[in-house]
Amino acid sequence: MPHDSHDHTDPPSDLTLRVKALETALTRKGYVDPAAVDAVVDTFETKVGPRNGAAVVAKAWTDPDFKQRLLDDASAACAELGFSGQQGEQLKAVENTDDVHNIVVCTLCSCYPWPVLGLPPSWYKSHAYRSRAVIEPRAVLEEFGVSIPEDKEVRVWDSTAELRYLVLPERPDGTDDLSEDALAELVTRDSMIGTGVAKK
Ligand code: FE
């Protein structure tokens, strides 16, 4: 998998540096509470972003035609729900089944499908995850509390700047009578990276 043309391996842009300098200055003067900034970032990382992906997954669970379109062309299917744009132009959905568990990593940096998952968690960007997810995915999954039976295949997908992945987790048993919205509540960010599973 070619892994070149990484826009985010370039030095920080002027804008990024200016924002950082401004934040530092305002924090030093006591005008900005770093915890408040963290709360905004956390909202984007854990609430706003992945809810988009969860809506995609819930629709795929309840609408077989949409699921097929998602597996055929994830970028187009997500755009149907209004989720498209930067870092999501080339999106591929990979389906977890009884026989296969998918897990996504970016071994070189932190390529991630922003329109459906928001910003990547810090561990996704860590050297430990980026290296170990490829070398020993089952051990990494165990540390996330996910035990994959030996007879189930684990597929590791290496994201690139050109192609990013969304895991379509398995729909939990006993959810036949749940609405699409209720199903979406079961879909965690980690279940769409593959380091978690959807649970009732
Ligand atoms: Fe990357």
Side-chain angles (χ1 to χ4, degrees):
M1 187 73 69
H3 208 137
D4 46 13
S5 68
H6 268 74
D7 49 357
H8 44 282
T9 55
D10 292 339
S13 67
D14 282 349
L15 179 63
T16 301
L17 291 171
R18 288 213 303 268
V19 168
K20 194 71 209 165
L22 188 60
E23 186 186 336
T24 302
L26 291 172
T27 301
R28 283 208 186 120
K29 287 179 179 292
Y31 294 141
V32 162
D33 176 1
V37 175
D38 286 348
V40 171
V41 172
D42 182 67
T43 295
F44 195 75
E45 285 184 348
T46 64
K47 297 185 180 74
V48 176
R51 298 334 303 155
N52 296 351
V56 171
V57 170
K59 186 167 180 61
W61 282 347
T62 54
D63 180 341
D65 291 336
F66 178 79
K67 177 182 164 185
Q68 193 57 53
R69 294 201 296 281
L70 181 69
L71 295 174
D72 289 343
D73 183 344
S75 299
C78 291
E80 287 180 32
L81 303 188
F83 310 135
S84 60
Q86 199 183 13
Q87 315 290 322
E89 296 90 344
Q90 292 291 329
L91 186 62
K92 180 178 174 62
V94 288
E95 182 185 14
N96 284 352
T97 66
D98 287 344
D99 303 318
V100 176
H101 182 89
N102 296 284
I103 175 174
V104 180
V105 63
C106 174
T107 54
L108 194 66
C109 44
S110 58
C111 296
Y112 196 72
W114 293 2
V116 282
L117 292 189
L119 300 175
S122 55
W123 55 258
Y124 185 85
K125 299 181 270 189
S126 72
H127 182 261
Y129 178 75
R130 286 161 37 214
S131 53
R132 292 186 55 223
V134 177
I135 298 167
E136 45 176 359
R138 287 171 190 273
V140 170
L141 286 167
E142 287 283 351
E143 289 171 33
F144 277 94
V146 179
S147 292
I148 304 297
E150 274 306 312
D151 59 354
K152 188 167 190 168
E153 180 187 352
V154 174
R155 285 187 194 152
V156 183
W157 299 87
D158 191 359
S159 294
T160 69
E162 293 78 26
L163 185 57
R164 291 143 202 268
Y165 299 91
L166 176 73
V167 173
L168 177 56
E170 288 183 276
R171 179 172 175 165
D173 291 335
T175 58
D176 287 354
D177 52 358
L178 290 186
S179 68
E180 201 174 308
D181 286 347
L183 286 169
E185 294 295 320
L186 308 180
V187 183
T188 62
R189 176 195 66 197
D190 287 6
S191 74
M192 294 179 281
I193 302 174
T195 52
V197 294
K199 291 179 188 156
K200 190 182 176 189

